[in-house]
Amino acid sequence: MNLVTLPINIEEIDYAELPKLQKLSVETFNDSFRHFKASKDFSHYTLKNYNYGQLAKRCSIFNQNSISFTIIINWPVILSLILRLTL
């Protein structure tokens, strides 16, 4: 049996990480859905759903009772997940 080691990066998300998270989120969304003909709606969708306020809310950055992490798997395509832990 062949085992493959995947390059995985796990980082805690704080407010300073939002630009990086926004860029990654928009790129992942566009890579996933760019083959659809409705791509003209992508810019509106990404502006509405991946702005700093929405990302901070989704990651509970301002919630003192939770910690959020990004989990990035970079093989063969980038897969980004957000894991939120409530304390």
Side-chain angles (χ1 to χ4, degrees), residues 41-59:
D41 296 330
F42 284 177
S43 61
H44 174 71
Y45 181 86
T46 54
L47 285 173
K48 180 181 174 192
N49 293 288
Y50 296 118
N51 62 61
Y52 291 167
Q54 288 287 31
L55 289 172
K57 189 172 155 183
R58 188 177 300 150
C59 298

Side-chain angles (χ1 to χ4, degrees), residues 5 8 26-27 48 55:
T5 303
I8 297 174
V26 170
E27 286 175 358
K48 180 181 174 192
L55 289 172

Side-chain angles (χ1 to χ4, degrees), residues 11-63:
E11 297 178 8
E12 185 176 352
I13 301 172
D14 61 15
Y15 196 77
E17 298 295 322
L18 285 181
K20 180 179 168 183
L21 180 60
Q22 181 188 42
K23 181 177 186 282
L24 180 63
S25 298
V26 170
E27 286 175 358
T28 302
F29 177 82
N30 287 337
D31 287 347
S32 298
F33 297 104
R34 82 173 40 160
H35 62 280
F36 290 103
K37 292 184 179 183
S39 62
K40 64 182 178 181
D41 296 330
F42 284 177
S43 61
H44 174 71
Y45 181 86
T46 54
L47 285 173
K48 180 181 174 192
N49 293 288
Y50 296 118
N51 62 61
Y52 291 167
Q54 288 287 31
L55 289 172
K57 189 172 155 183
R58 188 177 300 150
C59 298
S60 297
I61 288 176
F62 302 116
N63 183 346

